[in-house]
Amino acid sequence: MRRGAVWRIRKQVSQCEVAQVPQDAQKGLTSRQVLEARQKHGWNELPAMKQTGPWRVLLRQFSSFLVLILIAAAGVALALGETMDAGTIGLVVVLNAGLGFVQEWKAETALTALRKLMSPQAMVLRDGQEQVIPAREIVPGDVLVLAPGAKVAADAHVIRAAELAIDESVLTGESVAVSKGTDTANCNVYAGTSVTQGRAEARVSAIGAATEFGKIARLTVSVGPKTTNLQNKLSGLAFQLGIAALLVALGVTVLGLALGRDLSEMVMTGLSLSVAMVPEGLPAVVTITLALGATAMVRQNALARRLQAVETLGAASVICTDKTGTLTENKMTVTHVWTLDRHYDVTGTGYDPAGHIEFDGVRVRAEDDPVLAAVLKAGLYCSHAQLVQDGDSWTMVGAPTEGALITLGYKGWCALPNERGLLAEIPFSSARKRMSVLYDAGDGAEVLTKGAPEQVLEICTQVLTRDGVRPLTDFDRARITEAYTHLAQDGLRIIALASRAAPDHQIGEEAMTFLGLTGLIDPPRPEVRDAIAMARMAGIRVIMITGDSPITASAIATQLSLDVAHALTGHDLEELDDAALILVLQGDVLFARTKPEQKMRIVSALQAQEQIVAMTGDGVNDAPALRQADIGVSMGIRGTDVARDASDLVLLDDNFATIVRAIAEGRRQFANVQKFVRYLLSSNAGEVIALVVNIAIGGPLVFLATQILWMNLVTDGVTAVALGLEKSEPDQMRWPPRRKDTAILGIGGVVTIIVLGTYTGLSSLWIFFHLMDQGVELARTTAFTAMVVFEKVSVFAFRSLRLPGWRIGWFSNPFLLGALALTLGAQVLAVYWAPLQLMLHAVPLGLDEWGLIALFAVPIIIVPEVMKTLNPHNQRAK
Ligand code: ATP
């Protein structure tokens, strides 16, 4: 669906008959039937998507503009009879391709692993139990349990439904609502479509390739080859450098020829120079850094569905987060029951029914108070959750709010409802904030309602007391409001309950009798307080947007030390125009009793203030806001498929703290990309400056073509990837977020590259001329080795662009130390090992030469360290 587009729904089925449910459909298939069906029909999956094979990845290495230049260079060398040079360039091409292949293949496999993590799940009824299983395990005959936000995993025939609406646009592209009436004979749901409203059970008729969806399309996942902004920017940079390199090479060749140099020598130098100028490994290094970063994030429970997300995360300046389940545990326990006559306390924690209800310290049961009995009954009948005993512990399947009400029913010794008594249901939605069922338990049909107290009171005209039912007075309303306000001030979530007799079997929510209130604790997650403090330190605002009441939300905000000056409700929000909203958003505000649709407006208003917004969401109606946000964050446990599909990041643990960790990871990755791009370019700049200055002053060639290519190979790739693995800097989360359009290079970067390049280029040139009287071979080998050593030691200047080595730890990146040992070792071999000597026209160096190199190398380490240590601006977080 398009960004910001109206969420159009095709309403397909509504209120199919409940009474026609066949007996076996209430239990679903047995394990044996599942196995038999699987043998016959196989797995519910489409033929696997073609993955990029290793050959393709390998071939890709030879298709880049720069490699083509290299291949052309080898051809020219061959034509000029320089077989050794041609062979060396060929070797460089092969090695470079090898390195690129390893990196890309690793990235590809990392992405495939991430895709696997995203495989969809489905809820089915088997052996009489609702179970969540991987969607591929569904077989024909299975009974799917559909709820809002679920993606339908197979084609199925609806056997019962309540207010079911399906978004079929994925199949039909149509946006016109078509009602198919109430006849279950014509109620079908199709794989790939999603439930936008209501509940249903449906028997699977076709799976995998046999489904309608299978016939027309292949399921795709979104972590795809789509390139990120950063990758595009860098490919652009590499291309521009390529063009610039060709021009410089042409200029140098012409200059050399004008100065009377040999043609073949100049052509080779020109070509090598053009290659030397360009960091050809750059796009691959970025891909692998982002892909490895995404894998590292999964270990922290954040799954990036698009590589783009990792990059944008680092720039996030606002996190809009919901409360229930993200800031809080979403483990609900009823601790208070309030009726007009009495206030009960409830003991016990979690979903273990071991606690009890007490009044004035005395245990009570449902039978002791008819009002309490009515409250407990309504809570039980309005809930679809199930408690499952597993040994000594109890677990809950379903919505935590409903699980808590079922547990309360157990604690009050209330009779459990019979599923078959359910006649109709108006499901809960975050927009309506209440739900109702029509139930006939054998003693006459009843409508039972539960929901947010304001929404329930709105439909009540009577109240139940120990003396019976009587009209609801304004005084009663005031008492009820006072009671739930008081409970909410302790951070409790309030659910109100109501009922009415329904002799006409109609489920209308009107003229109800108010029964009572329940107060549920949902403790804040312990790690969230620190995460909020860290976000504040990092200049990231946290805005709570919840469906819960402003009082409960404010109480939780206080418990979490979240700065909130005032709470705005969804209703207040409707009254504000866009300009006023922007003003409000400049203060510390939280939004309560909001409808999911209002999230979109808040995101847009923040974006209008140039903020980079991360927004959480879990329901169907959250999808547009998730798309609109710069980083849509969905929930792995509690989220719906629709929300997940619309998001960039999935929190595998639904935890707010994970968002902050992911932002830290995004910052680390952007910083590392900046580091290795600057490092690579400064290395190349040194080579180019030495070559160009030397040709201008008319000296003999300072580096030979093969040596330049060797340097490029030694400097490229390995060291840069190792730099990409730098840990995050200790003060990384003390800085405000970067602007989204922050340049990778920037003025500072360009200056560093020029200064360092000039120093390394001119130093190696000076060494070259200084040793010239001992023979050009020795002078050139020393200058060449000096350049390699300079490039290696200069990497320390880039490990942090601000902090000195002693702050980040000299040994904190073992990969980098390994890469340095490897590349310097290779250079020693180049100088002393005959085959490499021959290839690189190198001669052995003596101690004097090494000493000279060391002398010039030391400032490259020391000067940046001293500058970083002394610069107070660099030390202080803004
Ligand atoms: P958040 O938006 O932070 O996740 P939330 O879960 O409270 O918070 P909603 O799901 O929109 O937001 O719920 C809003 C209100 O509706 C709750 O405060 C509660 O009073 C009521 N409510 C929540 N779940 C149910 C339910 N299953 N049945 C009836 N009422 C509910």
Side-chain angles (χ1 to χ4, degrees), residues 322-325 399 401-402 428-431 433-435 450-453 493-495 545-549 593-594 618 638:
D322 51 5
K323 172 181 71 70
T324 312
T401 307
E402 301 192 347
F428 172 77
S429 81
S430 291
K433 303 198 194 317
R434 67 173 179 241
M435 60 88 73
K450 76 171 186 321
R493 181 181 176 83
I494 315 297
I495 299 285
I545 305 178
T546 175
D548 214 335
S549 87
R593 287 283 185 245
T594 46
D618 51 13
R638 138 179 80 93

PDB file of all heavy atoms in Angstrom, residues 322-325 399 401-402 428-431 433-435 450-453 493-495 545-549 593-594 618 638, ligand 1:
ATOM      1  N   ASP A 322       4.419   3.090  21.988  1.00  0.00           N
ATOM      2  CA  ASP A 322       3.198   2.781  22.719  1.00  0.00           C
ATOM      3  C   ASP A 322       3.614   2.318  24.120  1.00  0.00           C
ATOM      4  O   ASP A 322       4.805   2.198  24.409  1.00  0.00           O
ATOM      5  CB  ASP A 322       2.331   1.749  22.001  1.00  0.00           C
ATOM      6  CG  ASP A 322       3.105   0.517  21.609  1.00  0.00           C
ATOM      7  OD1 ASP A 322       4.283   0.427  21.968  1.00  0.00           O
ATOM      8  OD2 ASP A 322       2.524  -0.358  20.949  1.00  0.00           O
ATOM      9  N   LYS A 323       2.653   2.099  24.962  1.00  0.00           N
ATOM     10  CA  LYS A 323       2.983   1.783  26.352  1.00  0.00           C
ATOM     11  C   LYS A 323       2.918   0.288  26.623  1.00  0.00           C
ATOM     12  O   LYS A 323       3.912  -0.325  26.994  1.00  0.00           O
ATOM     13  CB  LYS A 323       2.004   2.517  27.297  1.00  0.00           C
ATOM     14  CG  LYS A 323       2.134   2.127  28.746  1.00  0.00           C
ATOM     15  CD  LYS A 323       1.128   2.864  29.605  1.00  0.00           C
ATOM     16  CE  LYS A 323      -0.300   2.424  29.405  1.00  0.00           C
ATOM     17  NZ  LYS A 323      -0.618   1.084  29.915  1.00  0.00           N
ATOM     18  N   THR A 324       1.718  -0.272  26.364  1.00  0.00           N
ATOM     19  CA  THR A 324       1.461  -1.627  26.814  1.00  0.00           C
ATOM     20  C   THR A 324       2.331  -2.634  26.063  1.00  0.00           C
ATOM     21  O   THR A 324       2.217  -2.758  24.851  1.00  0.00           O
ATOM     22  CB  THR A 324      -0.025  -1.948  26.631  1.00  0.00           C
ATOM     23  OG1 THR A 324      -0.759  -0.858  27.170  1.00  0.00           O
ATOM     24  CG2 THR A 324      -0.412  -3.224  27.336  1.00  0.00           C
ATOM     25  N   GLY A 325       3.191  -3.303  26.787  1.00  0.00           N
ATOM     26  CA  GLY A 325       4.020  -4.329  26.171  1.00  0.00           C
ATOM     27  C   GLY A 325       5.371  -3.819  25.717  1.00  0.00           C
ATOM     28  O   GLY A 325       6.316  -4.590  25.602  1.00  0.00           O
ATOM     29  N   ALA A 399      -4.950 -12.565  24.599  1.00  0.00           N
ATOM     30  CA  ALA A 399      -4.611 -11.197  24.992  1.00  0.00           C
ATOM     31  C   ALA A 399      -4.396 -11.143  26.499  1.00  0.00           C
ATOM     32  O   ALA A 399      -5.221 -11.654  27.257  1.00  0.00           O
ATOM     33  CB  ALA A 399      -5.731 -10.259  24.582  1.00  0.00           C
ATOM     34  N   THR A 401      -4.815  -8.820  28.715  1.00  0.00           N
ATOM     35  CA  THR A 401      -5.917  -8.219  29.489  1.00  0.00           C
ATOM     36  C   THR A 401      -6.981  -9.284  29.759  1.00  0.00           C
ATOM     37  O   THR A 401      -7.517  -9.395  30.876  1.00  0.00           O
ATOM     38  CB  THR A 401      -6.557  -7.069  28.680  1.00  0.00           C
ATOM     39  OG1 THR A 401      -5.530  -6.180  28.298  1.00  0.00           O
ATOM     40  CG2 THR A 401      -7.611  -6.341  29.468  1.00  0.00           C
ATOM     41  N   GLU A 402      -7.284 -10.062  28.738  1.00  0.00           N
ATOM     42  CA  GLU A 402      -8.313 -11.097  28.882  1.00  0.00           C
ATOM     43  C   GLU A 402      -7.827 -12.240  29.753  1.00  0.00           C
ATOM     44  O   GLU A 402      -8.588 -12.797  30.560  1.00  0.00           O
ATOM     45  CB  GLU A 402      -8.748 -11.579  27.492  1.00  0.00           C
ATOM     46  CG  GLU A 402      -9.285 -10.418  26.670  1.00  0.00           C
ATOM     47  CD  GLU A 402     -10.010 -10.817  25.400  1.00  0.00           C
ATOM     48  OE1 GLU A 402      -9.909 -11.984  24.994  1.00  0.00           O
ATOM     49  OE2 GLU A 402     -10.692  -9.939  24.824  1.00  0.00           O
ATOM     50  N   PHE A 428     -13.237  -6.315  19.992  1.00  0.00           N
ATOM     51  CA  PHE A 428     -12.533  -5.149  20.520  1.00  0.00           C
ATOM     52  C   PHE A 428     -11.736  -4.500  19.397  1.00  0.00           C
ATOM     53  O   PHE A 428     -11.189  -5.178  18.541  1.00  0.00           O
ATOM     54  CB  PHE A 428     -11.561  -5.591  21.626  1.00  0.00           C
ATOM     55  CG  PHE A 428     -10.655  -4.485  22.083  1.00  0.00           C
ATOM     56  CD1 PHE A 428     -11.138  -3.490  22.928  1.00  0.00           C
ATOM     57  CD2 PHE A 428      -9.334  -4.406  21.650  1.00  0.00           C
ATOM     58  CE1 PHE A 428     -10.320  -2.451  23.339  1.00  0.00           C
ATOM     59  CE2 PHE A 428      -8.507  -3.367  22.065  1.00  0.00           C
ATOM     60  CZ  PHE A 428      -9.012  -2.400  22.906  1.00  0.00           C
ATOM     61  N   SER A 429     -11.694  -3.212  19.386  1.00  0.00           N
ATOM     62  CA  SER A 429     -10.751  -2.524  18.501  1.00  0.00           C
ATOM     63  C   SER A 429     -10.195  -1.340  19.267  1.00  0.00           C
ATOM     64  O   SER A 429     -10.866  -0.790  20.144  1.00  0.00           O
ATOM     65  CB  SER A 429     -11.427  -2.062  17.216  1.00  0.00           C
ATOM     66  OG  SER A 429     -12.120  -0.862  17.463  1.00  0.00           O
ATOM     67  N   SER A 430      -8.971  -0.975  18.937  1.00  0.00           N
ATOM     68  CA  SER A 430      -8.332   0.125  19.662  1.00  0.00           C
ATOM     69  C   SER A 430      -9.068   1.432  19.425  1.00  0.00           C
ATOM     70  O   SER A 430      -8.953   2.354  20.227  1.00  0.00           O
ATOM     71  CB  SER A 430      -6.881   0.265  19.235  1.00  0.00           C
ATOM     72  OG  SER A 430      -6.162  -0.829  19.705  1.00  0.00           O
ATOM     73  N   ALA A 431      -9.826   1.499  18.342  1.00  0.00           N
ATOM     74  CA  ALA A 431     -10.563   2.734  18.068  1.00  0.00           C
ATOM     75  C   ALA A 431     -11.797   2.820  18.972  1.00  0.00           C
ATOM     76  O   ALA A 431     -12.100   3.867  19.527  1.00  0.00           O
ATOM     77  CB  ALA A 431     -10.956   2.787  16.601  1.00  0.00           C
ATOM     78  N   LYS A 433     -12.411   0.809  21.762  1.00  0.00           N
ATOM     79  CA  LYS A 433     -11.955   0.584  23.136  1.00  0.00           C
ATOM     80  C   LYS A 433     -12.967  -0.166  24.004  1.00  0.00           C
ATOM     81  O   LYS A 433     -13.019   0.012  25.222  1.00  0.00           O
ATOM     82  CB  LYS A 433     -11.528   1.893  23.802  1.00  0.00           C
ATOM     83  CG  LYS A 433     -10.433   2.618  23.005  1.00  0.00           C
ATOM     84  CD  LYS A 433      -9.718   3.642  23.825  1.00  0.00           C
ATOM     85  CE  LYS A 433      -8.874   4.583  22.993  1.00  0.00           C
ATOM     86  NZ  LYS A 433      -8.093   3.999  21.920  1.00  0.00           N
ATOM     87  N   ARG A 434     -13.817  -0.969  23.386  1.00  0.00           N
ATOM     88  CA  ARG A 434     -14.667  -1.874  24.162  1.00  0.00           C
ATOM     89  C   ARG A 434     -15.082  -3.030  23.249  1.00  0.00           C
ATOM     90  O   ARG A 434     -14.902  -2.946  22.021  1.00  0.00           O
ATOM     91  CB  ARG A 434     -15.889  -1.158  24.736  1.00  0.00           C
ATOM     92  CG  ARG A 434     -16.865  -0.688  23.698  1.00  0.00           C
ATOM     93  CD  ARG A 434     -18.153  -0.135  24.319  1.00  0.00           C
ATOM     94  NE  ARG A 434     -19.004   0.297  23.228  1.00  0.00           N
ATOM     95  CZ  ARG A 434     -19.421   1.529  23.040  1.00  0.00           C
ATOM     96  NH1 ARG A 434     -19.084   2.483  23.889  1.00  0.00           N
ATOM     97  NH2 ARG A 434     -20.185   1.840  22.008  1.00  0.00           N
ATOM     98  N   MET A 435     -15.627  -4.095  23.860  1.00  0.00           N
ATOM     99  CA  MET A 435     -16.114  -5.225  23.062  1.00  0.00           C
ATOM    100  C   MET A 435     -17.323  -5.821  23.767  1.00  0.00           C
ATOM    101  O   MET A 435     -17.508  -5.650  24.964  1.00  0.00           O
ATOM    102  CB  MET A 435     -15.008  -6.272  22.875  1.00  0.00           C
ATOM    103  CG  MET A 435     -14.432  -6.891  24.124  1.00  0.00           C
ATOM    104  SD  MET A 435     -15.350  -8.334  24.677  1.00  0.00           S
ATOM    105  CE  MET A 435     -14.880  -9.544  23.475  1.00  0.00           C
ATOM    106  N   LYS A 450     -17.130  -5.367  27.921  1.00  0.00           N
ATOM    107  CA  LYS A 450     -16.005  -4.904  28.738  1.00  0.00           C
ATOM    108  C   LYS A 450     -15.219  -3.885  27.915  1.00  0.00           C
ATOM    109  O   LYS A 450     -15.250  -3.914  26.680  1.00  0.00           O
ATOM    110  CB  LYS A 450     -15.095  -6.070  29.156  1.00  0.00           C
ATOM    111  CG  LYS A 450     -14.177  -6.617  28.086  1.00  0.00           C
ATOM    112  CD  LYS A 450     -13.214  -7.597  28.724  1.00  0.00           C
ATOM    113  CE  LYS A 450     -12.123  -8.139  27.844  1.00  0.00           C
ATOM    114  NZ  LYS A 450     -12.365  -8.471  26.472  1.00  0.00           N
ATOM    115  N   GLY A 451     -14.545  -2.976  28.600  1.00  0.00           N
ATOM    116  CA  GLY A 451     -13.778  -1.973  27.868  1.00  0.00           C
ATOM    117  C   GLY A 451     -13.297  -0.851  28.748  1.00  0.00           C
ATOM    118  O   GLY A 451     -13.391  -0.920  29.985  1.00  0.00           O
ATOM    119  N   ALA A 452     -12.759   0.195  28.103  1.00  0.00           N
ATOM    120  CA  ALA A 452     -12.289   1.362  28.844  1.00  0.00           C
ATOM    121  C   ALA A 452     -13.481   1.978  29.574  1.00  0.00           C
ATOM    122  O   ALA A 452     -14.581   2.028  29.013  1.00  0.00           O
ATOM    123  CB  ALA A 452     -11.671   2.358  27.882  1.00  0.00           C
ATOM    124  N   PRO A 453     -13.312   2.443  30.835  1.00  0.00           N
ATOM    125  CA  PRO A 453     -14.462   2.889  31.628  1.00  0.00           C
ATOM    126  C   PRO A 453     -15.297   3.975  30.943  1.00  0.00           C
ATOM    127  O   PRO A 453     -16.528   3.905  30.983  1.00  0.00           O
ATOM    128  CB  PRO A 453     -13.838   3.388  32.925  1.00  0.00           C
ATOM    129  CG  PRO A 453     -12.371   3.366  32.739  1.00  0.00           C
ATOM    130  CD  PRO A 453     -12.064   2.478  31.595  1.00  0.00           C
ATOM    131  N   ARG A 493      -4.324  -0.301  34.903  1.00  0.00           N
ATOM    132  CA  ARG A 493      -5.113  -0.276  33.684  1.00  0.00           C
ATOM    133  C   ARG A 493      -6.538  -0.648  34.095  1.00  0.00           C
ATOM    134  O   ARG A 493      -6.746  -1.618  34.828  1.00  0.00           O
ATOM    135  CB  ARG A 493      -4.512  -1.331  32.770  1.00  0.00           C
ATOM    136  CG  ARG A 493      -5.119  -1.514  31.438  1.00  0.00           C
ATOM    137  CD  ARG A 493      -4.307  -2.647  30.819  1.00  0.00           C
ATOM    138  NE  ARG A 493      -4.792  -3.066  29.533  1.00  0.00           N
ATOM    139  CZ  ARG A 493      -4.485  -2.453  28.415  1.00  0.00           C
ATOM    140  NH1 ARG A 493      -3.737  -1.384  28.414  1.00  0.00           N
ATOM    141  NH2 ARG A 493      -4.938  -2.917  27.267  1.00  0.00           N
ATOM    142  N   ILE A 494      -7.517   0.127  33.655  1.00  0.00           N
ATOM    143  CA  ILE A 494      -8.869  -0.095  34.151  1.00  0.00           C
ATOM    144  C   ILE A 494      -9.755  -0.696  33.056  1.00  0.00           C
ATOM    145  O   ILE A 494      -9.801  -0.200  31.931  1.00  0.00           O
ATOM    146  CB  ILE A 494      -9.521   1.236  34.605  1.00  0.00           C
ATOM    147  CG1 ILE A 494      -8.544   2.072  35.439  1.00  0.00           C
ATOM    148  CG2 ILE A 494     -10.819   0.955  35.363  1.00  0.00           C
ATOM    149  CD1 ILE A 494      -8.098   1.439  36.729  1.00  0.00           C
ATOM    150  N   ILE A 495     -10.454  -1.756  33.435  1.00  0.00           N
ATOM    151  CA  ILE A 495     -11.448  -2.344  32.538  1.00  0.00           C
ATOM    152  C   ILE A 495     -12.792  -2.289  33.270  1.00  0.00           C
ATOM    153  O   ILE A 495     -12.905  -2.772  34.405  1.00  0.00           O
ATOM    154  CB  ILE A 495     -11.116  -3.824  32.220  1.00  0.00           C
ATOM    155  CG1 ILE A 495      -9.756  -3.947  31.524  1.00  0.00           C
ATOM    156  CG2 ILE A 495     -12.210  -4.472  31.380  1.00  0.00           C
ATOM    157  CD1 ILE A 495      -9.740  -3.530  30.084  1.00  0.00           C
ATOM    158  N   ILE A 545       2.678   7.291  23.109  1.00  0.00           N
ATOM    159  CA  ILE A 545       1.369   7.429  22.470  1.00  0.00           C
ATOM    160  C   ILE A 545       0.606   6.149  22.786  1.00  0.00           C
ATOM    161  O   ILE A 545       0.978   5.074  22.330  1.00  0.00           O
ATOM    162  CB  ILE A 545       1.496   7.567  20.937  1.00  0.00           C
ATOM    163  CG1 ILE A 545       2.427   8.740  20.587  1.00  0.00           C
ATOM    164  CG2 ILE A 545       0.125   7.762  20.296  1.00  0.00           C
ATOM    165  CD1 ILE A 545       2.651   8.916  19.104  1.00  0.00           C
ATOM    166  N   THR A 546      -0.419   6.261  23.602  1.00  0.00           N
ATOM    167  CA  THR A 546      -1.070   5.034  24.067  1.00  0.00           C
ATOM    168  C   THR A 546      -2.586   5.125  23.934  1.00  0.00           C
ATOM    169  O   THR A 546      -3.155   6.218  23.861  1.00  0.00           O
ATOM    170  CB  THR A 546      -0.678   4.755  25.545  1.00  0.00           C
ATOM    171  OG1 THR A 546      -1.398   3.627  26.004  1.00  0.00           O
ATOM    172  CG2 THR A 546      -0.993   5.942  26.449  1.00  0.00           C
ATOM    173  N   GLY A 547      -3.198   3.953  23.928  1.00  0.00           N
ATOM    174  CA  GLY A 547      -4.658   3.901  23.909  1.00  0.00           C
ATOM    175  C   GLY A 547      -5.204   3.954  25.323  1.00  0.00           C
ATOM    176  O   GLY A 547      -6.398   4.110  25.546  1.00  0.00           O
ATOM    177  N   ASP A 548      -4.319   3.805  26.302  1.00  0.00           N
ATOM    178  CA  ASP A 548      -4.741   3.773  27.704  1.00  0.00           C
ATOM    179  C   ASP A 548      -5.097   5.181  28.187  1.00  0.00           C
ATOM    180  O   ASP A 548      -4.890   6.163  27.482  1.00  0.00           O
ATOM    181  CB  ASP A 548      -3.622   3.151  28.546  1.00  0.00           C
ATOM    182  CG  ASP A 548      -4.188   2.351  29.711  1.00  0.00           C
ATOM    183  OD1 ASP A 548      -5.319   2.654  30.124  1.00  0.00           O
ATOM    184  OD2 ASP A 548      -3.513   1.438  30.197  1.00  0.00           O
ATOM    185  N   SER A 549      -5.569   5.282  29.423  1.00  0.00           N
ATOM    186  CA  SER A 549      -6.057   6.574  29.912  1.00  0.00           C
ATOM    187  C   SER A 549      -4.883   7.501  30.245  1.00  0.00           C
ATOM    188  O   SER A 549      -3.792   7.036  30.557  1.00  0.00           O
ATOM    189  CB  SER A 549      -6.905   6.367  31.159  1.00  0.00           C
ATOM    190  OG  SER A 549      -6.073   6.353  32.290  1.00  0.00           O
ATOM    191  N   ARG A 593      -5.382   7.773  25.211  1.00  0.00           N
ATOM    192  CA  ARG A 593      -6.689   7.521  24.599  1.00  0.00           C
ATOM    193  C   ARG A 593      -6.697   7.921  23.123  1.00  0.00           C
ATOM    194  O   ARG A 593      -7.654   8.518  22.632  1.00  0.00           O
ATOM    195  CB  ARG A 593      -7.791   8.293  25.335  1.00  0.00           C
ATOM    196  CG  ARG A 593      -8.124   7.706  26.684  1.00  0.00           C
ATOM    197  CD  ARG A 593      -8.974   6.455  26.572  1.00  0.00           C
ATOM    198  NE  ARG A 593      -9.380   5.975  27.883  1.00  0.00           N
ATOM    199  CZ  ARG A 593      -8.982   4.806  28.408  1.00  0.00           C
ATOM    200  NH1 ARG A 593      -8.161   4.011  27.740  1.00  0.00           N
ATOM    201  NH2 ARG A 593      -9.429   4.421  29.582  1.00  0.00           N
ATOM    202  N   THR A 594      -5.598   7.615  22.464  1.00  0.00           N
ATOM    203  CA  THR A 594      -5.524   7.960  21.041  1.00  0.00           C
ATOM    204  C   THR A 594      -6.059   6.802  20.215  1.00  0.00           C
ATOM    205  O   THR A 594      -6.069   5.654  20.651  1.00  0.00           O
ATOM    206  CB  THR A 594      -4.076   8.203  20.604  1.00  0.00           C
ATOM    207  OG1 THR A 594      -3.288   7.163  21.135  1.00  0.00           O
ATOM    208  CG2 THR A 594      -3.568   9.539  21.043  1.00  0.00           C
ATOM    209  N   ASP A 618       1.556  -2.033  16.551  1.00  0.00           N
ATOM    210  CA  ASP A 618       1.360  -3.477  16.469  1.00  0.00           C
ATOM    211  C   ASP A 618       0.057  -3.881  15.789  1.00  0.00           C
ATOM    212  O   ASP A 618      -0.103  -5.016  15.394  1.00  0.00           O
ATOM    213  CB  ASP A 618       1.459  -4.125  17.855  1.00  0.00           C
ATOM    214  CG  ASP A 618       0.560  -3.432  18.870  1.00  0.00           C
ATOM    215  OD1 ASP A 618      -0.286  -2.637  18.432  1.00  0.00           O
ATOM    216  OD2 ASP A 618       0.701  -3.684  20.071  1.00  0.00           O
ATOM    217  N   ARG A 638       3.890  -9.531  19.926  1.00  0.00           N
ATOM    218  CA  ARG A 638       2.488  -9.151  20.039  1.00  0.00           C
ATOM    219  C   ARG A 638       1.970  -8.539  18.746  1.00  0.00           C
ATOM    220  O   ARG A 638       0.785  -8.377  18.555  1.00  0.00           O
ATOM    221  CB  ARG A 638       2.445  -8.215  21.243  1.00  0.00           C
ATOM    222  CG  ARG A 638       1.679  -7.011  21.282  1.00  0.00           C
ATOM    223  CD  ARG A 638       1.906  -6.388  22.660  1.00  0.00           C
ATOM    224  NE  ARG A 638       3.178  -5.684  22.701  1.00  0.00           N
ATOM    225  CZ  ARG A 638       3.282  -4.392  22.434  1.00  0.00           C
ATOM    226  NH1 ARG A 638       2.234  -3.691  22.120  1.00  0.00           N
ATOM    227  NH2 ARG A 638       4.450  -3.797  22.485  1.00  0.00           N
TER     228      ARG A 638
HETATM  229  P1  ATP B   1      -0.997   0.902  23.967  1.00  0.00           P
HETATM  230  O1  ATP B   1      -1.660   1.744  22.930  1.00  0.00           O
HETATM  231  O2  ATP B   1       0.082   1.601  24.692  1.00  0.00           O
HETATM  232  O3  ATP B   1      -0.635  -0.467  23.515  1.00  0.00           O
HETATM  233  P2  ATP B   1      -3.393  -0.036  25.244  1.00  0.00           P
HETATM  234  O4  ATP B   1      -3.197  -1.481  25.031  1.00  0.00           O
HETATM  235  O5  ATP B   1      -3.981   0.396  26.540  1.00  0.00           O
HETATM  236  O6  ATP B   1      -2.067   0.773  25.145  1.00  0.00           O
HETATM  237  P3  ATP B   1      -5.553  -0.134  23.436  1.00  0.00           P
HETATM  238  O7  ATP B   1      -5.280  -1.527  23.070  1.00  0.00           O
HETATM  239  O8  ATP B   1      -6.019   0.837  22.419  1.00  0.00           O
HETATM  240  O9  ATP B   1      -4.287   0.528  24.084  1.00  0.00           O
HETATM  241  O10 ATP B   1      -6.598  -0.172  24.640  1.00  0.00           O
HETATM  242  C1  ATP B   1      -7.278   0.985  25.054  1.00  0.00           C
HETATM  243  C2  ATP B   1      -8.163   0.693  26.246  1.00  0.00           C
HETATM  244  O11 ATP B   1      -9.142  -0.269  25.884  1.00  0.00           O
HETATM  245  C3  ATP B   1      -7.421   0.089  27.441  1.00  0.00           C
HETATM  246  O12 ATP B   1      -6.949   1.091  28.292  1.00  0.00           O
HETATM  247  C4  ATP B   1      -8.505  -0.747  28.120  1.00  0.00           C
HETATM  248  O13 ATP B   1      -9.267   0.029  28.998  1.00  0.00           O
HETATM  249  C5  ATP B   1      -9.376  -1.169  26.961  1.00  0.00           C
HETATM  250  N1  ATP B   1      -9.039  -2.520  26.499  1.00  0.00           N
HETATM  251  C6  ATP B   1      -7.825  -3.009  26.169  1.00  0.00           C
HETATM  252  N2  ATP B   1      -7.897  -4.274  25.757  1.00  0.00           N
HETATM  253  C7  ATP B   1      -9.184  -4.618  25.822  1.00  0.00           C
HETATM  254  C8  ATP B   1      -9.930  -5.798  25.524  1.00  0.00           C
HETATM  255  N3  ATP B   1      -9.340  -6.901  25.076  1.00  0.00           N
HETATM  256  N4  ATP B   1     -11.261  -5.770  25.715  1.00  0.00           N
HETATM  257  C9  ATP B   1     -11.867  -4.677  26.141  1.00  0.00           C
HETATM  258  N5  ATP B   1     -11.251  -3.549  26.449  1.00  0.00           N
HETATM  259  C10 ATP B   1      -9.931  -3.480  26.302  1.00  0.00           C
END
